[in-house]
Structure formats: structure tokens, C-alpha cells
Amino acid sequence: MSEMRITRASAGVFPVLATPFAPDGAPDHASLSRMVERFLAMGAHGFTILGVMGEADRMDGGEASAVAETVMAAVAGACPVIHGVSAPGLDVVRQRAEVAMAMGAAGVMLAPPRGLGPDERIVGWFDAVLAALGDIPVCYQDYPQITGAPISLAALQGLFARHANLVMLKHEASPGLGRISALNAMPEPPSILVGNNALFIPLELARGADGIMTGFPYPDVLVEVWRRHQAGDLDTAEDLYDAFLPLIRYETQPGLAMAGRKYVLHRRGFLADPALRGPAAALSDRDRQEIERLMARCEARAADLGVRVAT
Amino acid sequence: MSEMRITRASAGVFPVLATPFAPDGAPDHASLSRMVERFLAMGAHGFTILGVMGEADRMDGGEASAVAETVMAAVAGACPVIHGVSAPGLDVVRQRAEVAMAMGAAGVMLAPPRGLGPDERIVGWFDAVLAALGDIPVCYQDYPQITGAPISLAALQGLFARHANLVMLKHEASPGLGRISALNAMPEPPSILVGNNALFIPLELARGADGIMTGFPYPDVLVEVWRRHQAGDLDTAEDLYDAFLPLIRYETQPGLAMAGRKYVLHRRGFLADPALRGPAAALSDRDRQEIERLMARCEARAADLGVRVAT
Amino acid sequence: MSEMRITRASAGVFPVLATPFAPDGAPDHASLSRMVERFLAMGAHGFTILGVMGEADRMDGGEASAVAETVMAAVAGACPVIHGVSAPGLDVVRQRAEVAMAMGAAGVMLAPPRGLGPDERIVGWFDAVLAALGDIPVCYQDYPQITGAPISLAALQGLFARHANLVMLKHEASPGLGRISALNAMPEPPSILVGNNALFIPLELARGADGIMTGFPYPDVLVEVWRRHQAGDLDTAEDLYDAFLPLIRYETQPGLAMAGRKYVLHRRGFLADPALRGPAAALSDRDRQEIERLMARCEARAADLGVRVAT
Amino acid sequence: MSEMRITRASAGVFPVLATPFAPDGAPDHASLSRMVERFLAMGAHGFTILGVMGEADRMDGGEASAVAETVMAAVAGACPVIHGVSAPGLDVVRQRAEVAMAMGAAGVMLAPPRGLGPDERIVGWFDAVLAALGDIPVCYQDYPQITGAPISLAALQGLFARHANLVMLKHEASPGLGRISALNAMPEPPSILVGNNALFIPLELARGADGIMTGFPYPDVLVEVWRRHQAGDLDTAEDLYDAFLPLIRYETQPGLAMAGRKYVLHRRGFLADPALRGPAAALSDRDRQEIERLMARCEARAADLGVRVAT
């Protein structure tokens, strides 16, 4: 097994990558490469691709593979890359996972199928799929607000106890702080990276989360927050995080989050164009003004704290 | 435009095809061809493929294309074939629709993305997609119990009034009988084919539905019900339908419906094997006994009514 | 403890009572008394009141108490009466349960609060409430399709194993046949009465269900089905059931079920008026014609089987 | 009509009141009176009672009336009080509304029944109920994330255009900023008070919202934010709001929000005890430490901005 595979010891900031599109809808590989390189330079510890943030369900199979190839090439082995492979059926999951690993992925991310429940059916689904994936490292994406497939803490702990290849949790359940404490108390706790729109990061790190996996378009800020936290500077970590909370909060709007994030990525120079694949909610002029005002306010507050973000 | 395209005048029984799999999970094209030929011989007026019943979301793109090719070859122009192309994004829908039409499809079927709402967002989504599909004929799948995307009657009528290429409704909303009456009162009503697990067919036909689109594994019975209804024999049509209602009812069990239907298709000799792609609820021995008992009881009652089904 | 309390040995047909209203919306106690008496004469083994079917959430506290008093007086100790007491909070549940028991109820019925999940939260809720209810016998209403609170089989078995006062399950989960088999295999299985719109009764009885708890407006038919089943005449029990399946199926329409049932109760002479408390979906003339036609067809088929229903 | 009734011109900060309970579960009327008096002294422009935040569904009818009486007495005509009266049926809504108005309420608040949809059914429900309520002023609570009953903007505008007694919107839909802009562009726009866990207040006020209706336990801060906004000091209003955003964010955790808010109210001296009616998620020691730390951090930041909150 390569050293680059994700393990229960994985930690740090794993940006979830957006897929850049040109105004005509074609994937913009130049922007994608540049964004990866800049995020690496900002200190990203890994990447996650082909999730919701990457509009994976709005690309065909060939486009998704091309996106993955561009990312793998730009990363060039510098850090682990996790590929989203969620699908309702085992065959498709396995095929996607094998393709991902053959391309050099560090592991795959998997959410339960929509609406699956109760516990026994989610557990049955994962038991079957994890067994079929053999030694491919898996990250369980627990986002019941979106999937409608809530799993109990005990059942989740059981999955981590039974399956050595289930190594990581993308923690997005809410309320969820108590869950982090409980999972960390396991004999061999999983790596816990937090998502859920970045809304609880300092609290989650304080509870023992190992890192951050989200599409918030300031990975530089997240890296600095994480570093300060690692260094034991909990208060200054939270001060910096709080400076950006108004923008983080803005991105919790269902249906507008993606458009907002891509607009910020565009304004920060990472994407040539903020286009989404449609049909999608378009930002109004007023929305864009609000975002720019929030960016300016958050960046100014960070500057007051001595942190200057690239523009 | 070919005569084979679906239009607002389309009518009859359109079986939704299951995808046969071998015990090792490989698509079983021989069973698929044979099933299509036998359903044609039974009087099917069209087919629908690559929907939920076809486990489309459990096949990769290449497998789905191969399944479509087998069906198109077996049909050989004898009747229209509708391809499911549902996806959240316009680009994937358009690409799938263009591939389908190039293969000889008569039209495409499209459900709104999961959880989309309220009305204005569903309407916006379809306005954009229908405009992009140009003259490709589209069937709107209205199944809010599954999609979580209910559309009001007025908004649905608006879509049919504005878009000439929206020609058909797969009607699965419940309660829905009043909807059929209202849609049929439009100046240019759509073709209405009913699904919803086949649970209301005689009532729906009496309200003016034009046909039936469902995976119930006795298309021969559905054809005879439809023919009797067309001939004005409403009572005998309903008598025959009622004979099979106990089995139809059995197939409404969420999570077991697919397994039950494939088991019946297997017992009737259409499928070499009843396998589903996993992870899926498996039938217990007891479940199988129940299904066989229901088959025997329903077939015996049909025989009492002078209808003999192939076994 | 009175002999009239429900226990794990309770069995038979427990009609869920509708609340009759006059056209001006006032509860019609005369119809209610008469309906109870006639159902008793038909062989009902118990009653359930103040559930969804009784429009409990559309009456104020005083009206609900008056309805309960009328039912208790009409029953006059002839059979057990279960009172619905569902509420999100312990205090209200306990108060309602104590009032019900003081009025002579045989037990109370309780569903988990809407949307509660996953397992651990449902279990925690019931552990607290069941402990607080002391020796009051409780029926767990498991209807996840409506409550959005699915509980796993293992968790449900745990509740029945831990709480002696949890004696009955109103089984409405689907798919659910395997659940009945599993619960019946417990050392001290609960009494299992089946609901879920009466859609699977013969299969559920064959799996070991002890009785029927539903608002289907032909309790006379349900009693005869149950008796035949008890006598070992599974086929004739199912024949009679199947004769009414077209009407049972009609009543599965969400939003129309209550109106349809009350219309049948009115046509059969149990209710002076079919009025519901509004705002409610009104039956159209066409709907009423459909129901009358289905009643005539079902009753005629029953007559062919030698069963004559009161009209 | 009294001058105290809510109208389309109503504006300001309307705290949604928690119901204080003693450790033994009894309503604590002394704390309730004191809290109302202190909130009035802080500048509250109105109150809302008997909503989710008031645990209305965990009190019986007598307790709820007693709570309302205490609030009305403590307010003593100083400002309008809105009573929550949501129920699925017209009769209960009307009875509650009449009782509320007889007690001196300024209007009533009403959400659509759970899961109601699509548009046409929500509109039908409100058309019937609003007609029955005559001249009682009504606030529409639009919180589809909780009710599962999303209404389209056009349908909502139609209700406000048709019903003179529908005067106010409690705006909680997300995304919702565009909705505020559109509703404000109506010829006679409703009063728009924003809720949704207080998460977007400065943006919503900038879009034209007239006030704030939420249970955030610092109404003093909300009043100051609203005043600054009214005075045109948008930036300083937002600075103060942002100082408390970390705590506001904490209270978005489903299932923990109520417990967290009551704990803050207790720590601030408004409630003698933070008890909730059970079964409810209890705060852990760790949770309480987090809340206290957030309170201290937010209050310190406010102090840096020259705003001192009572402790």
C-alpha cells in the first residue's frame, strides 16, 4: 500500500474541489490545474473531488474522468486525493473505486443511498459494499440532512470497528459535537474530517476532529485556522475563523451555496469564470454585491488579526 | 420526424423493462431480447427502459448503452421505445437524450431532481431543459412520493401549454384521479400513461388515461385490460384487473418491489435468473412462497374469467 | 389490573373509529354511539379512538374528551378501548394517558414524534416515556411512512424486551412482513395488530399477526376474515378479503382516504353525515360515483362467496 | 380595531418567548413575568408566544392559557403580542384565535400543516382558514425546512393580495433574500419579520425586512442592531450582529437549539432554571462549557464595539 493512502491517522485541510466550467459549459481544465496548484501552495493537506461541490452529478463519465486526471496530474503525488464514488449499487461503486485507485487516488468517499433507513438497512448496505471494496480505503460521508439516511452513533461505531478499510469519517451530521467526542473515545478512532458547510470548525477541532473537508473558498484561511489549533492557540484560531463566519454563514443557503462559492473562487482569481452547469439558481446583481461586501468585510477583519489573504 | 416518436396521441401499454442480470451480476442480454420479443407478441404498444425498474442507477454508462442497444435491436422498429434520461443537470440530460434519439428512441422520460421545490423551481428547471431539448419528445414523470418534488396541477398544465415537445405524462401522483380529469380537459391534452405501481389502472382509464406504463410483470394481462377498456367493456376490464390486484398490491412494498417483480418474471420464464444488482433486499423463502401462492391464486381467478396467461 | 386492559395476548379486530360530525362541524354523538353499538354487534374485539382516523388533531381538548366519553359509554365494558395519546412531550402524554385510564381505557397508543431519528433518539424517547407511564399498557404505533421516524427491528425488539408495559404493536411499516415473523420469534412476543390501510391483512395474519387495527369501513368483513383465519381457512379468508381489496386500495390515496371512508360509513348508515372537519379535500361527484361503484362491486363479489354485508 | 393589532406596517424586534419551567416541570410564571418585563425594558417592540420556542406542543390547553395570561398581564398593553395558533384543522385554529384575541392578542401566527403540498393545497388551506378568521390579523409562518410545506413566491404573493387580514410574514425560508426583495415590491407589501434562527438578519434588513422575530436570547442586541439599521448605520449594525454570530450559529443545531437558548437565558438571569419539558436532548457539561465560552467571547467583542450587555 502506498504511503499516500488515507488512514485513520489522516489529518489536515482537504479542500473539496469545485469543477470550473467555461461560459459555454465545457470543463475548464486550465483553471482546475491552477486552482489545485494554488491550494497546494496555500498548504492544503489533501483534496476531495467528484462530490456535490464538484457537480459530479452534472458531468458524464468521460468528463468526470478527465477532471480526475487533471487533478491527479496537478497534485503530482504531493498529497492524498479522495474520489467521490457514491452510487446506489455495488457494481458501480466498485467500478468507480477501482478506476479511482488505478488513477492514484488515496481513497474513496461514499454516502449511503438517499432515504435509506432504518439503521439495519444502512449497516447492511455498507457491510456489503465495504467487503466488496477489499483494501481500498473508504471515507464514510455522514450527511443525513442531505441524504435523508441518518445512522445512529452505535451503528456507525460498529461499522468502524468491523471494517479495517473504513478509515475516515466526513462528519456533517448536526447536532454532531457529541458524536465527535464519542467516536474519538473508540479504541481505534477513525480520522474525522468535518464538513457541514464549515459551520462548526473550531468547536469540532476542539472536540477532537482531525481536519477539515469542505468547499469553503478560502482554504488558506482554513489551513491557518487548523495550524493555530494544532499549535494550541485555540483562541486565535477561533478569532480568525470567526472573521470569516459571516461568509461561511452566507454559503449555507440551499440552492445558492454552489453559485456563491464559485463566485468567490472567481473573484479570488482561481476560476476564470463562475459558471455552474444548469439548470441552477443564478446569482442576482444584488446577491453578487452582498458577496463582495462580505468578502471585503471578512478580509478586513482578518487583516486586523494580522492575516492577509491572497486576492 | 419519424412516425415512431411519441406524441400527445400515444396510447396503449408500455411495459417498463427490468434489466436481467446473471447470478454473477453481468447483464443478461439473451433474457432481455427474449423478454422484449415475448412482450411484443403479447401486444405491448411500446417500451420504457433505463428507469428505476431497469436498475439504471446500478449500471455504468457502457452497460446502460448496451442494454438500450439490445432492446432497440429486439424491438426492431415495431413500436416506440422511451429512454429514461433523468439527471440533475442539463448537460447530462441533453447528452443522454441525444444518444437515445440517435439510437432510435421515440422520446425520453424525465423526472424533476430529488427534492426540488416549490413550483417555481420545478417549472424553471423544466422550462430550461425542455427548451434545450429542442424537438426531442419528452415524457414528464410525476412521481412526488419518490422524488419529493410535487408540482401543482396549474404549473403542470402550464408546462404542457408552453412546450410542444412535452407530449406525455407518466402519471404517478396520488391522489391523482382528479388530475387526470383536469389534464384531459385541456385544449390539447398530453398523452397520459399511468404508473404508480399499477394500483389504480381501471379508475385511471375511466378518467381518460390513454395507457399504462408500469413494470407489473404480467403485461399480457395489462394489454387485455386496456383492450377491454377500449372496447367499452369497463366491467370485464376491471374484473380481470381485480383478479391480479392481490399481486399488484404485493409489489407496492418499498424495497421489495423490484425483487418481487423479477422473481415473477423469472417464474414466468422471461428471465433466466431473478438476480438484482446489490446491495438489495433479498427475498426470503417465505417471501417466495407468498409470491408463488399469489401468482397461482391470481392466475386461477383469471382462468375463471376465461383469461389464460402464459406460464 | 382490570381484565379489560390490553396485554401481549390481545387479539382480534379493533376498528379505529372515525369521529362523526354534523354538517355544521359539531361532533355527532348519536351517530358515534350507534356506530359503536353496530360494530360491537358485528363482532369487534376492541376499539381504538382519537387517532388520525378520529380527526383527533382537529378537535379541542373538551371535544376529544366528550368523544371518548361517548365511546366508553356505548362500549360499556364490552371490550377494550385504546386511546391515542401521541404528543411530542412527556407531560402531555402522561396527562392524556392518565385521563384515558381514569375513563376506563384498556391502554394507550403512542407514535414517536415526527421526524425523530436515528434509532438512539427514538429509543431514548420511548425509554423515558414508557418509564413515566408506569403500569399503563402501551401500544407502539410504527408508521414510518407517516411519522418519518423509522425504527430498526433490533431497537424495537429491545424496547419490547425492556418494558413490560409495552404490550402491543400497531404494525404499519412497509415492507413489514419479515418484521412480523421476527417479532413473533421473540420469547414473549407483543400483540401485533396490523394497520397500514389494511393493505396486507391476509399475508400479515399468515405471518403471525394477532389482529387488525384499521379504519376500513367494513369491520364486519374484517371480523369474518379474521375468524376464518383463526379457524384455519386461510384460502377462504383471503378470498373474502380479496373481494374488498379494490375498495381497500382506493382508500390508500393520501388526502382522500378519510373522506372516502366517511362516505362509505355514511352510505352504510353508520354516520348521519359524511362531513370532515376542514380544510379537507372534498370528494367530487365523480369520486362519489367511483366509491359507490366499488362498494357495489365488492359487496356483490362477497355475496358470491356467501357473505352478505349490512346495508 | 385596537391600535395594538399587527398590521402591514408593523416593525421592530418581536422576541419569541421561551416558556420557563421549574425543575419539576411546572411552568414558572414568575420567571416568565420577569423576562417579559426585562425584554420590554430592553426595547422589544412586540412578542410572540406559544410557538415551537415556547414548547407549546408540550403543554396542555390549560397550561398554555395560563402562560398567555401571564404574558398579557406582564405586557399590560405596552406592545403587540402575537399568539401561535397552528393546528391542522380550521375549528381548532378558529377557537384558539378567538380565545387569543379575547385575551388581547394583537394577531395570530399560523404555519401550514406538516407536509402539505403542492402549492394548490397550501393555498386552498389558507384561503379557507383566512376567510374563517374574519378580521383577525394573521402572520404566515413560512418555514419549509421544518414544515415540509414549501409555498412558491407567486402563491404567497397571491395570498397577501387576496386577504386583507393576512398582514405579516414570519420569513424563515432559505434561500430567502430574493423573496424579501420580491415581496417588498408588491403594491401593499406585508410586514416582514425574519426568523430562521437569526442567521441572516443584517442581509434581510438590507433587503427591506421590517423586523426580527426570533428566540435568540439577546433581544437587547437585536434591538440595537435593528436601531442602528433604522438609523442608516448598516456597517455598525452588522459589526454588532457579527459579534454574536458565533453564538447564533451554535443555536442552529437541530435538537439542541432549545436547550442551548434556555441555558443562555438562565445564565443571563432571565430564567430561574434552564429546564425543558422532556424527553429532550440534555446538554452535556462540555456543551455548557462551550456555550459559556461563546457567550464570553461574543460579549467581549460587543464590548470592544462599545455595547455592554446585561449579565
Side-chain angles (χ1 to χ4, degrees), chain C residues 10-303:
Chain C
S10 294
V13 177
F14 284 58
V16 182
L17 288 173
T19 302
F21 295 108
D24 71 355
D28 171 4
H29 290 273
S31 284
L32 183 56
S33 288
R34 189 176 57 233
M35 183 166 60
V36 168
E37 284 154 19
R38 292 191 58 187
F39 285 8
L40 275 174
M42 288 169 170
H45 304 90
F47 290 101
T48 303
I49 62 173
L50 300 178
V52 171
M53 174 75 187
E55 296 174 76
D57 60 1
R58 294 177 172 236
M59 290 188 284
D60 65 39
E63 290 173 327
S65 292
V67 160
E69 273 168 32
T70 295
V71 171
M72 300 312 289
V75 168
C79 70
V81 180
I82 301 170
H83 292 223
V85 299
S86 292
L90 173 55
D91 298 80
V92 175
V93 168
R94 181 167 42 195
Q95 188 231 21
R96 289 184 184 172
E98 284 166 1
V99 168
M101 297 311 287
M103 291 175 66
V108 299
M109 188 164 74
L110 210 45
R114 290 236 174 187
L116 197 68
D119 262 9
E120 58 209 358
R121 294 178 71 191
I122 302 175
V123 168
W125 195 91
F126 269 96
D127 277 340
V129 172
L130 290 168
L133 290 180
D135 68 352
I136 297 177
V138 176
C139 171
Y140 185 118
Q141 183 177 22
D142 183 31
Y143 203 175
Q145 303 93 305
I146 298 297
T147 59
I151 186 170
S152 72
L153 172 61
L156 189 59
Q157 288 175 317
L159 285 173
F160 278 109
R162 277 197 304 285
H163 298 281
N165 61 331
L166 186 62
V167 298
M168 183 182 278
L169 176 69
K170 183 173 188 199
H171 172 75
E172 321 211 53
S174 182
L177 297 168
R179 264 188 176 220
I180 295 175
S181 299
L183 287 162
N184 260 327
M186 290 180 69
E188 296 183 66
S191 165
I192 302 175
L193 304 195
V194 300
N196 192 20
N197 287 315
L199 211 48
F200 296 94
I201 287 175
L203 297 156
E204 291 166 327
L205 292 177
R207 292 280 189 144
D210 302 291
I212 302 165
M213 189 196 291
T214 173
F216 182 61
Y218 287 83
D220 38 355
V221 171
L222 298 180
V223 167
E224 181 61 20
V225 167
W226 185 81
R227 277 189 192 143
R228 291 182 180 194
H229 198 276
Q230 290 293 104
D233 300 331
L234 271 63
D235 283 319
T236 67
E238 191 154 359
D239 289 343
L240 178 57
Y241 172 87
D242 285 352
F244 283 88
L245 185 50
L247 192 56
I248 289 169
R249 171 270 328 254
Y250 192 87
E251 293 176 356
T252 62
Q253 296 177 82
L256 275 188
M258 281 294 305
R261 286 178 169 179
K262 282 193 133 176
Y263 187 70
V264 173
L265 289 169
H266 169 62
R267 295 291 298 177
R268 295 194 72 197
F270 301 132
L271 304 189
D273 196 275
L276 276 79
R277 284 211 154 162
L283 297 178
S284 66
D285 287 346
R286 184 66 186 266
D287 293 332
R288 277 187 289 267
Q289 290 159 17
E290 283 171 353
I291 293 171
E292 289 180 22
R293 184 166 173 279
L294 286 171
M295 289 175 68
R297 285 176 56 90
C298 293
E299 292 180 9
R301 208 168 298 167

Side-chain angles (χ1 to χ4, degrees), chain A residues 88-115:
Chain A
L90 173 55
D91 299 79
V92 175
V93 169
R94 182 167 40 196
Q95 188 231 21
R96 289 183 185 173
E98 284 167 0
V99 168
M101 298 310 287
M103 289 176 66
V108 299
M109 187 164 73
L110 211 45
R114 289 235 175 190

Side-chain angles (χ1 to χ4, degrees), chain B residues 226-245:
Chain B
W226 186 81
R227 278 189 191 144
R228 290 181 180 194
H229 199 277
Q230 289 294 103
D233 300 332
L234 270 64
D235 283 320
T236 65
E238 192 153 358
D239 290 342
L240 177 58
Y241 171 86
D242 285 352
F244 283 89
L245 184 50

Side-chain angles (χ1 to χ4, degrees), chain A residues 9-133:
Chain A
S10 294
V13 177
F14 284 58
V16 182
L17 289 173
T19 303
F21 295 108
D24 70 356
D28 170 5
H29 291 272
S31 284
L32 183 55
S33 288
R34 188 177 58 232
M35 183 165 60
V36 168
E37 283 154 20
R38 292 192 55 187
F39 285 8
L40 276 175
M42 288 169 170
H45 304 89
F47 291 100
T48 303
I49 61 172
L50 301 178
V52 170
M53 174 75 188
E55 297 174 76
D57 60 2
R58 294 175 173 236
M59 289 189 284
D60 66 38
E63 290 172 327
S65 292
V67 161
E69 272 167 34
T70 295
V71 171
M72 301 311 289
V75 169
C79 70
V81 179
I82 301 170
H83 291 222
V85 298
S86 292
L90 173 55
D91 299 79
V92 175
V93 169
R94 182 167 40 196
Q95 188 231 21
R96 289 183 185 173
E98 284 167 0
V99 168
M101 298 310 287
M103 289 176 66
V108 299
M109 187 164 73
L110 211 45
R114 289 235 175 190
L116 197 70
D119 262 9
E120 57 209 358
R121 294 177 71 192
I122 302 176
V123 168
W125 194 90
F126 269 97
D127 277 338
V129 171
L130 290 168
L133 290 182

Side-chain angles (χ1 to χ4, degrees), chain A residues 174-177 199-200 202-203 206-207 234-235 238-239 241-242 245-246 249-250 252-254 256 284 286-287 290 293-294 297 301, chain D residues 174-177 199-200 202-203 206-207 234-235 238-239 241-242 245-246 249-250 252-254 256 284 286-287 290 293-294 297 301:
Chain A
S174 181
L177 297 169
L199 211 48
F200 295 94
L203 297 155
R207 292 280 189 146
L234 271 63
D235 284 318
E238 191 153 359
D239 290 341
Y241 171 87
D242 286 352
L245 185 50
R249 172 270 327 254
Y250 193 87
T252 63
Q253 297 178 80
L256 275 188
S284 66
R286 183 67 186 265
D287 293 332
E290 282 171 354
R293 184 167 171 278
L294 286 171
R297 284 175 56 90
R301 207 168 299 167
Chain D
S174 182
L177 297 169
L199 210 48
F200 295 93
L203 297 156
R207 292 280 189 146
L234 270 64
D235 283 318
E238 191 153 359
D239 289 342
Y241 171 87
D242 286 351
L245 185 50
R249 172 270 327 255
Y250 191 87
T252 63
Q253 297 178 80
L256 274 189
S284 66
R286 183 66 186 265
D287 293 332
E290 283 171 353
R293 185 167 172 278
L294 286 171
R297 286 176 55 90
R301 209 168 299 167

